[in-house]
Amino acid sequence: MSGARTAEFKRSWRVVLASAFGAGTGAVPLAFYSFGAFIGPLTAAFGWTRAEVTAAPLFLTIGGLIAGVLAGALADRFGARRVVLWSQALLVVAFAGFALLPASLPLFYLGYALVAILGAGTMTMTWSRAITGWFVAGRGLALGLSLVGTGLIGAALPLYINWLIGHHGWQGGYLGLAALPLILGMPLTWLFFREPEELGRSDLVAAADEAGSYSFGDALRTTCFWQMTLSFSVVAVAIAAVIVHCVPLLTDRGIDKATAAGIAGLIGLSVTGGRLVSGFLLDRVRGPLVAFGMFGLPALACLLLAVAGSNLILCGLAVVIIGLAGGAEHDIAAYFCARHFGRQHYGKIYGLLYTLYGIGSGVGPLIAGKVVEATGDYRLALHGGSALFAVSAGLILTLRPPRRSLAAPVV
């Protein structure tokens, strides 16, 4: 690590720590990494089909579309810390409300939409906005570390939620989710999460944005923005489908539920590895090459998972590789957004990018559920996922930065 990177981490490690726990207990990772454990109990409790239950992430995405850009814009105007703290408090209420859920699919879907709307300030754009202000030389690794909590907490969530459901029912599982931002996220945000602007560090703000910033409108007029959006959207479909369906995919092959939950927990660990590996490489290797590798390998992993049967080693290996892509995706997206469009309007620009490619996360599990119901197993869905990973890798490899003449100088 260079001297500049070392100095940045010595100065700002507390912000990275708070971001890691805050991001890990945010709306999207808690909802997605825990969702597979609720599919069986909810279908048994209410008689809903698997496809009906797995439509819920789509409504999480719709909620993100409604509130994501607004949360980013509020962070640009009022500071990320204030937005995060309010969102964390509201997220506790949103998850706890599921414990009162009646046998109503519309209310179930509304609940997931509210998780995204009320918890929008806990999404990636707020944490990465602060990190891109504190770090330049070590920005890639800092972004990876700041989001590493999503992987670590995601690794524990399937076992944690399965234990809660086993002892306290699915209602206890949702109350357990509500406890996480309250106990782990909010205290560290309150103590350590700050942006350079809050502390009067205009020198850092200028250094982080030395090439100038795009306005929101100018960013949307670039080919780069929409090519990024398409690439990340396509890969999000495949990643979310595997994450949400991992437990039922494995149990359908005769693997017992506890073992399936343990394999699903590998996703969280590999997400952590994906964030660290991609972050380290982004500071040293051309970004499109890093992204191509991180999104290209899972195309092969999906094919492996399709033929692995009940072989635990092969299933685990495939899940780990796909999890690496899940970890790299947000890190790479945040890095590219700051690098290509600057930081002055970062919250709004990345907020839109994040919510648009989040559509893929919402529709992926639903599409997979429909395919499984039509074909009787997951093989066709996994072959489709392989094709999507390959398309995304090709799109990101050919990405070119926008013309800097459209960027406004930092004032």
Side-chain angles (χ1 to χ4, degrees), residues 238 295-296 298-303 380-392:
F295 297 161
L300 301 177
C302 283
L303 297 179
L380 181 59
L382 288 168
H383 281 90
S386 176
L388 292 176
F389 275 118
V391 168
S392 177

Side-chain angles (χ1 to χ4, degrees), residues 207-374:
D209 223 6
E210 61 182 359
S213 288
Y214 279 72
S215 70
F216 183 67
D218 283 342
L220 267 58
R221 284 190 283 271
T222 66
T223 301
C224 178
F225 178 86
W226 294 108
Q227 189 170 343
M228 286 168 55
T229 299
L230 181 58
S231 176
F232 292 126
S233 297
V234 167
V235 80
V237 171
I239 292 170
V242 174
I243 289 175
V244 170
H245 283 273
C246 187
V247 171
L249 182 155
L250 296 172
T251 54
D252 282 358
R253 299 177 177 188
I255 298 173
D256 67 88
K257 192 173 182 179
T259 303
I263 294 175
L266 294 175
I267 295 175
L269 293 176
S270 57
V271 162
T272 302
R275 298 207 190 288
L276 296 177
V277 170
S278 63
F280 177 85
L281 291 176
L282 283 169
D283 291 330
R284 294 161 174 83
V285 181
R286 286 186 62 245
L289 290 177
V290 176
F292 178 77
M294 299 303 293
F295 297 161
L297 283 176
L300 301 177
C302 283
L303 297 179
L304 175 62
L305 191 57
V307 300
S310 58
N311 186 303
L312 299 183
I313 295 176
L314 294 182
C315 288
L317 176 61
V319 164
V320 165
I321 294 173
I322 295 168
L324 289 173
E329 181 186 21
H330 295 314
D331 190 16
I332 292 170
Y335 182 90
F336 279 15
C337 191
R339 183 176 181 83
H340 294 322
F341 302 114
R343 195 170 170 279
Q344 190 171 352
H345 303 284
Y346 176 89
K348 189 185 296 185
I349 295 170
Y350 184 47
L352 179 61
L353 174 65
Y354 180 86
T355 52
L356 287 177
Y357 76 72
I359 295 173
S361 298
V363 302
L366 177 60
I367 293 172
K370 291 290 188 182
V371 171
V372 171
E373 287 194 347

Side-chain angles (χ1 to χ4, degrees), residues 25-306:
T25 57
V28 174
L30 289 185
F32 267 108
Y33 288 121
S34 68
F35 192 79
F38 287 105
I39 294 175
L42 289 174
T43 56
F46 298 124
W48 299 334
T49 68
R50 185 176 294 182
E52 286 173 333
V53 173
T54 54
L58 177 60
F59 291 86
L60 185 77
T61 300
I62 292 171
L65 281 170
I66 294 171
V69 178
L70 176 60
L74 290 174
D76 288 336
R77 182 170 183 180
F78 299 108
R81 181 173 183 268
R82 188 179 302 179
V83 174
V84 167
L85 285 170
W86 273 103
S87 290
Q88 286 174 322
L90 293 171
L91 184 60
V92 172
V93 176
F95 275 126
F98 276 99
L100 304 175
L101 180 72
S104 168
L105 266 175
L107 286 179
F108 178 60
Y109 296 152
L110 177 62
Y112 271 90
L114 286 176
V115 163
I117 293 170
L118 297 179
T122 66
M123 295 179 185
T124 308
M125 75 286 291
T126 50
W127 311 107
S128 59
R129 188 184 194 283
I131 294 299
T132 57
W134 288 108
F135 292 88
V136 177
R139 180 177 287 171
L141 183 57
L143 284 168
L145 288 169
S146 73
L147 300 175
V148 78
T150 61
L152 294 176
I153 292 173
L157 269 180
L159 296 174
Y160 171 64
I161 297 301
N162 269 307
W163 183 88
L164 286 172
I165 291 173
H167 288 80
H168 305 288
W170 59 266
Q171 298 93 333
Y174 280 112
L175 290 175
L177 286 179
L180 295 177
L182 180 65
I183 296 172
L184 297 178
M186 292 182 70
L188 287 173
T189 300
W190 179 266
L191 291 172
F192 297 140
F193 187 67
R194 301 288 191 281
E195 293 184 272
E197 293 90 339
E198 292 182 72
L199 302 180
R201 294 299 303 271
S202 58
D203 58 321
L204 295 178
V205 176
D209 223 6
E210 61 182 359
S213 288
Y214 279 72
S215 70
F216 183 67
D218 283 342
L220 267 58
R221 284 190 283 271
T222 66
T223 301
C224 178
F225 178 86
W226 294 108
Q227 189 170 343
M228 286 168 55
T229 299
L230 181 58
S231 176
F232 292 126
S233 297
V234 167
V235 80
V237 171
I239 292 170
V242 174
I243 289 175
V244 170
H245 283 273
C246 187
V247 171
L249 182 155
L250 296 172
T251 54
D252 282 358
R253 299 177 177 188
I255 298 173
D256 67 88
K257 192 173 182 179
T259 303
I263 294 175
L266 294 175
I267 295 175
L269 293 176
S270 57
V271 162
T272 302
R275 298 207 190 288
L276 296 177
V277 170
S278 63
F280 177 85
L281 291 176
L282 283 169
D283 291 330
R284 294 161 174 83
V285 181
R286 286 186 62 245
L289 290 177
V290 176
F292 178 77
M294 299 303 293
F295 297 161
L297 283 176
L300 301 177
C302 283
L303 297 179
L304 175 62
L305 191 57

